[in-house]
Amino acid sequence: MTPLPDRCEVVVIGGGVIGVSVAYHLAEAGIQDVVLVERKELTSGTTWHAAGLVGQLRSSINMTKLARYTSELYRGLEAETGQATGYRQCGSMSIAATAERFEELKRSASMAKVFGLEVNVLSVAEIAERYPLIQTDDLFGGIHIPSDGYANAVDITQALAKGAKGRGVRIATHTKVDEILHEGGQITGVRTDRGEIQAKYVVICGGMWSRDLASTVGVNLPLHACEHYYVLFESVEGLHPDLPVLRDYDACTYYKYDAGKLLLGAFEPSAKPWGMGGISEDFCFDEIAGDFDHFEPVLHDAMKRFPALERAGIQKFFCGPESFTPDVRYHLGEAPELKNCFVAAGLNSIGLQSAGGVGKVTAEWIRDGRPPVDLWEVDVRRNMPFQRNRRYLQSRVGESLGLLYATHYPYRQYETARGVRKAAIHDRLRAAGACHGEAYGWERPNWYAPKGVEPVYDYSYGRQNWFEHSAAEHRAVREGVALFDQSSFAKFRFEGRDTVAVLNRVCANNIDVAPGRVVYTQWLNERGGIEADLTVTRLTEHAFMIVSAAETEVRDFYWLKRHIPDDAHCVLTNVTSGIGRHLDHGPQGARSLAVVDP
Ligand SMILES: Cc1cc2nc3c(=O)[nH]c(=O)nc-3n(C[C@H](O)[C@H](O)[C@H](O)COP(=O)(O)OP(=O)(O)OC[C@H]3O[C@@H](n4cnc5c(N)ncnc54)[C@H](O)[C@@H]3O)c2cc1C
């Protein structure tokens, strides 16, 4: 057993592909004094059963950069470490069985050009030529990414572990973290079942265990395990290792060559949450019994697409748990609630293809004290406290899994876990024809349907059904008087003798103004970068109301909290849910009115 030191710079919790990649990249970034602790064996949580797809095209440039870096890393990992990785650059192909899907694929292909990733749009004839095993009569077209591929998740993790150890990282398996230690709002180490380690930083990479572990130190990490299914077919006629990975989004399925067999996996629209009563202490290389009836419709459609499957034998029907998040984006970065407590968890079934990039940016974030690129879309500070609610999570993650392969129409709204946060005038807005969308748990009117029109989205890639109604609203605001409900905006009360001094240090503008005045200002970091964009209203000599965007409620609250000196006489209270806010807009411009909720 690896002996545990008394102290080190960083403790990484979790020996899945994410934790091992973080450890590898910490050493690569020059921080070698790292201990990785794993409660059982490396890969024994979710990683061991990953199907092995390594794709690169994501919905934004920075997420694509992270996935591309991962592919590049895996390509060279075997040569670097001497450990086989099973990586094969066979390309990937995504097919469209509807015109709308083909539109989505073509849009992502043109976006990929901006990212510098080679993506080719394919005709139906070209699809049939590249993948003769599938039925193509109903297809509209597809896209091909030559540099995508697949790998063996266990071997990749072992190779990263070998690379990390070679750079000085200590890996302690059969060592469970029982407690994360902290003092004065800052990490001090961990207590394991084999003793204590003092550390400056802790990184929680505990996969589906991360939510409960983080909550023991007040860190909010909303994620929940879901069942994810695949089937292994043997004796599939015509199968060979260089067939591209195939994604048939409209049938919710993916296909991949797997050591002489064909792996068929699915992201069905209504998935099944798992582990509601907690996850057993003994979980180690385990699988779930699974529900064949739940998977059968997917299998049925797959046989139409892939006729050879009707004659092939099912070697294995597999169901394994993976953690999903409410917005299908993973959680990265320093937890706002606890200094030097970092997280890298909630990988939404793209953990293998994301691990390289996730490890690299997490390590650089720890080393430099700031993220190396804009990572806001996955930043843990975007999460709201209510999202730790289990009922909310169980309801949402079933939808999250399916959204991986759903058509991502503009303005698409979540269907589950709705109605969590409502303004005081919600019912009146609804009665006025509001079609609500969800933002950070808030129900916000996105557009108003006139009498006789149902306030429901009719999604499309063309002009959607709300267009004319939104134009009418816009005209009314320009030409008349309007009242905006801004209750979802973040609102903090800041009171005390030292508030002026503290705010004038944090704000870029002078907030020492007469009571009743509003100051629009930014909060800047030490490099002059913008951390927050908000208004500060002076209520009385020693009381202020800070109003910021709904999206940055948690981030802004903790930014100010961390910048209040210990000896300052200030009280900061988040009053977002207790106070409504309306903005009236007339010929003289905008005027803000704060309204206390009844
Ligand atoms: C069926 C299936 C197929 C998949 N296919 C793909 C794919 O093709 N491509 C892809 O990119 N992704 C895929 N994934 C997703 C991928 O497997 C995961 O995203 C990834 O493995 C998550 O890695 P992780 O390190 O976050 O979690 P894990 O592998 O679960 O690692 C977390 C580790 O933390 C340890 N731990 C937890 N608590 C403690 C503690 N208190 N002390 C010490 N250790 C602790 C656990 O024992 C565990 O080993 C698939 C997932 C499933 C279920």
Side-chain angles (χ1 to χ4, degrees):
M1 250 187 191
T2 307
L4 290 188
D6 295 337
R7 61 178 64 233
C8 69
E9 183 78 358
V10 186
V11 170
V12 178
I13 307 174
V17 69
I18 297 298
V20 176
S21 177
V22 168
Y24 171 97
H25 284 94
L26 278 167
E28 181 81 357
I31 306 175
Q32 276 107 4
D33 188 12
V34 176
V35 179
L36 182 147
V37 285
E38 162 55 49
R39 53 188 270 284
K40 298 283 183 190
E41 298 279 351
L42 294 186
T43 78
S44 62
T46 294
T47 298
W48 73 275
H49 55 238
L53 277 59
V54 184
Q56 299 167 91
L57 183 57
R58 309 298 309 156
S59 59
S60 71
I61 190 153
N62 284 330
M63 292 301 106
T64 304
K65 272 187 192 160
L66 263 54
R68 285 188 75 182
Y69 166 76
T70 304
S71 280
E72 280 156 25
L73 175 75
Y74 292 175
R75 240 168 261 154
L77 205 53
E78 186 165 339
E80 180 201 319
T81 62
Q83 157 79 45
T85 59
Y87 182 78
R88 194 171 189 109
Q89 192 178 314
C90 57
S92 76
M93 198 167 78
S94 301
I95 54 177
T98 64
E100 298 274 90
R101 178 72 71 177
F102 194 32
E103 179 64 30
E104 179 175 16
L105 291 180
K106 284 189 288 188
R107 284 180 184 212
S108 48
S110 68
M111 197 173 65
K113 277 193 202 133
V114 180
F115 303 165
L117 182 68
E118 187 190 343
V119 181
N120 308 308
V121 176
L122 300 180
S123 65
V124 176
E126 286 168 322
I127 293 170
E129 193 185 322
R130 282 181 192 275
Y131 214 112
L133 302 182
I134 58 169
Q135 190 280 112
T136 55
D137 293 353
D138 60 333
L139 296 183
F140 285 75
I143 58 169
H144 177 237
I145 306 181
S147 56
D148 275 356
Y150 59 79
N152 181 311
V154 173
D155 292 342
I156 289 279
T157 311
Q158 294 296 353
L160 287 168
K162 199 170 170 194
K165 280 193 221 159
R167 290 169 172 81
V169 170
R170 282 160 285 186
I171 296 186
T173 53
H174 297 282
T175 308
K176 178 168 177 268
V177 169
D178 287 325
E179 193 181 348
I180 297 173
L181 306 172
H182 57 101
E183 210 181 299
Q186 187 160 333
I187 284 292
T188 55
V190 294
R191 188 170 55 74
T192 77
D193 52 3
R194 293 178 54 217
E196 261 183 41
I197 311 173
Q198 288 176 24
K200 188 168 174 198
Y201 300 93
V202 162
V203 194
I204 302 177
C205 305
M208 60 190 167
W209 288 269
S210 301
R211 183 197 64 222
D212 289 348
L213 185 60
S215 77
T216 60
V217 284
V219 168
N220 180 29
L221 212 46
L223 56 85
H224 198 291
C226 240
E227 298 184 356
H228 180 31
Y229 290 87
Y230 62 67
V231 171
L232 269 177
F233 286 93
E234 56 191 358
S235 317
V236 179
E237 296 152 24
L239 189 67
H240 63 87
D242 288 323
L243 276 173
V245 166
L246 179 71
R247 293 184 181 86
D248 184 359
Y249 291 115
D250 299 300
C252 318
T253 45
Y254 60 85
Y255 301 84
K256 178 215 150 212
Y257 175 88
D258 196 285
K261 303 181 181 60
L262 182 82
L263 187 151
L264 154 67
F267 291 110
E268 68 280 15
S270 295
K272 299 177 93 176
W274 183 81
M276 270 82 94
I279 302 166
S280 159
E281 278 283 307
D282 300 330
F283 193 98
C284 178
F285 295 112
D286 272 337
E287 55 187 271
I288 311 173
D291 174 357
F292 194 78
D293 291 345
H294 177 75
F295 192 72
E296 203 174 5
V298 173
L299 205 54
H300 188 258
D301 287 349
M303 285 182 180
K304 283 194 225 151
R305 174 70 62 218
F306 211 123
L309 297 187
E310 283 187 30
R311 297 179 296 280
I314 291 187
Q315 197 220 16
K316 174 115 189 115
F317 170 62
F318 183 87
C319 177
E322 157 72 333
S323 50
F324 284 83
T325 64
D327 57 5
V328 216
R329 292 187 255 145
Y330 44 79
H331 301 316
L332 280 198
E334 189 186 28
E337 303 92 342
L338 187 56
K339 203 164 183 310
N340 293 349
C341 179
F342 279 73
V343 303
L347 268 296
N348 297 296
S349 231
I350 54 163
L352 177 64
Q353 69 177 39
S354 309
V358 163
K360 186 172 193 297
V361 295
T362 305
E364 290 172 1
W365 198 331
I366 291 171
R367 184 192 60 192
D368 303 335
R370 58 175 183 269
V373 288
D374 176 12
L375 294 169
W376 177 242
E377 62 196 285
V378 289
D379 193 316
V380 66
R381 292 173 296 173
R382 76 187 185 284
N383 295 307
M384 298 292 156
F386 80 87
Q387 291 178 307
R388 75 181 83 203
N389 179 292
R390 281 172 198 234
R391 238 179 68 206
Y392 165 86
L393 282 173
Q394 283 154 24
S395 157
R396 174 56 63 80
V397 294
E399 184 180 2
S400 298
L401 183 144
L403 285 176
L404 286 171
Y405 277 21
T407 313
H408 303 99
Y409 290 112
Y411 308 103
R412 188 181 173 120
Q413 298 295 320
Y414 293 106
E415 286 167 10
T416 56
R418 292 290 300 266
V420 178
R421 301 173 95 185
K422 291 178 183 168
I425 58 167
H426 177 84
D427 292 345
R428 271 164 277 177
L429 298 177
R430 229 184 138 66
C435 178
H436 284 91
E438 192 238 79
Y440 324 104
W442 287 96
E443 293 293 330
R444 301 205 295 202
N446 284 357
W447 54 278
Y448 289 87
K451 270 207 167 60
V453 175
E454 224 195 325
V456 177
Y457 276 99
D458 183 8
Y459 297 121
S460 102
Y461 276 103
R463 184 172 284 190
Q464 296 189 358
N465 62 330
W466 49 264
F467 193 87
E468 292 307 328
H469 313 316
S470 187
E473 187 185 341
H474 186 85
R475 214 171 294 120
V477 174
R478 282 175 69 106
E479 295 168 6
V481 176
L483 191 67
F484 289 84
D485 174 31
Q486 296 188 332
S487 300
S488 65
F489 280 41
K491 291 155 241 121
F492 316 134
R493 253 191 104 93
F494 195 45
E495 291 159 287
R497 283 193 305 275
D498 297 322
T499 44
V500 172
V502 171
L503 280 176
N504 259 351
R505 179 160 158 59
V506 172
C507 299
N509 293 68
N510 179 21
I511 54 77
D512 193 3
V513 293
R517 293 278 309 273
V518 183
V519 179
Y520 168 55
T521 189
Q522 281 76 41
W523 291 350
L524 307 180
N525 57 36
E526 65 278 11
R527 286 162 293 124
I530 295 174
E531 290 287 338
D533 183 51
L534 39 76
T535 60
V536 177
T537 303
R538 190 164 198 173
L539 303 174
T540 66
E541 192 186 353
H542 294 309
F544 292 83
M545 177 70 77
I546 297 159
V547 178
S548 186
E551 182 180 13
T552 54
E553 179 182 331
V554 170
R555 175 186 180 144
D556 296 346
F557 182 82
Y558 282 100
W559 180 266
L560 182 55
K561 194 166 178 221
R562 283 194 183 186
H563 285 87
I564 302 173
D566 287 345
D567 57 355
H569 182 265
C570 298
V571 179
L572 177 65
T573 316
N574 186 345
V575 293
T576 303
S577 299
I579 296 185
R581 185 181 133 105
H582 299 139
L583 182 86
D584 78 6
H585 192 289
Q588 261 76 50
R591 211 152 50 93
S592 158
L593 320 162
V595 185
V596 179
D597 268 0

